[in-house]
């Protein structure tokens, strides 16, 4: 049996945010193996205001069982966080990309990218040198 109800808006508490503010934050992250940790990561990133969540694949990322944007679970996790933090917009959860590809897309689109990366051991080209070959890094002010 269907149930019907009528909802009346008594008072608008604030105008709806129809787009993200001019300063936006995208989070590029290697998904954790545990779905509980992945959920926690998506919830907290949503709560602090990330408008784009981009899973990335690294040499050691296990992509099996990854909850991606296409799954209702990821949307539900973000929706819970939106309600918790009083946001009005869901972040975009993008399909996984290779780490270097995702960073290069961000840099090429003019976004500021903050990188926390350890130096590569044993020689070879580091991730940061590969990323910055065309765009030299700007040190943060002390």
């Amino acid at each position: 049996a269907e149930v019907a109800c009528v909802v009346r808006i008594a008072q608008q508490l604030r105008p709806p945010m129809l787009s993200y503010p001019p300063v936006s934050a995208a989070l590029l992250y290697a998904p954790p193996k545990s779905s509980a940790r992945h959920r926690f990561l998506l919830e907290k990133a949503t709560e602090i205001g990330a408008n784009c969540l981009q899973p990335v694949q690294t040499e050691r990322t296990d992509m099996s069982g990854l909850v991606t944007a296409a799954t209702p679970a990821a949307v539900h996790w973000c929706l819970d966080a939106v309600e918790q933090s009083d946001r009005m917009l869901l972040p975009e959860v993008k399909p996984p990309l290779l780490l270097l590809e995702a960073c290069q897309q961000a840099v090429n689109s003019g976004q500021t990218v903050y990188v926390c990366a350890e130096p590569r051991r044993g020689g070879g080209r580091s991730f940061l040198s590969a990323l910055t070959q065309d765009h030299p890094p700007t040190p943060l002010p002390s």
Side-chain angles (χ1 to χ4, degrees):
E2 290 186 27
V3 177
C5 73
V6 175
V7 177
R8 292 194 183 116
I9 299 172
Q11 178 183 6
Q12 182 178 14
L13 299 178
R14 65 176 184 206
M17 184 183 353
L18 302 176
S19 64
Y20 285 102
V23 176
S24 62
L27 175 66
L28 280 61
Y29 67 96
K33 290 179 185 175
S34 157
S35 101
R37 288 185 179 186
H38 193 192
R39 177 184 182 145
F40 182 80
L41 186 148
L42 293 179
E43 286 175 348
K44 297 309 164 198
T46 300
E47 288 172 7
I48 64 169
N51 65 331
C52 176
L53 304 171
Q54 172 68 69
V56 296
Q57 185 171 0
T58 67
E59 289 176 1
R60 298 178 186 211
T61 304
D62 178 7
M63 300 300 274
S64 64
L66 175 65
V67 175
T68 63
T71 61
V75 173
H76 180 70
W77 297 343
C78 292
L79 185 57
D80 285 348
V82 163
E83 292 170 359
Q84 176 70 26
S85 60
D86 246 3
R87 286 180 58 167
M88 295 243 181
L89 298 172
L90 277 170
E92 177 184 8
V93 183
K94 293 187 171 184
L97 289 174
L98 294 174
L99 175 60
L100 186 58
E101 183 182 344
C103 287
Q104 286 173 333
Q105 282 183 7
V107 168
N108 292 337
S109 68
Q111 292 177 316
T112 301
V113 177
Y114 298 95
V115 177
C116 297
E118 296 179 11
R120 185 176 177 109
R121 296 188 187 116
R125 191 170 174 203
S126 74
F127 163 72
L128 196 54
S129 69
L131 176 63
T132 60
Q133 69 183 6
D134 297 326
H135 303 277
T138 304
L140 291 174
S142 302

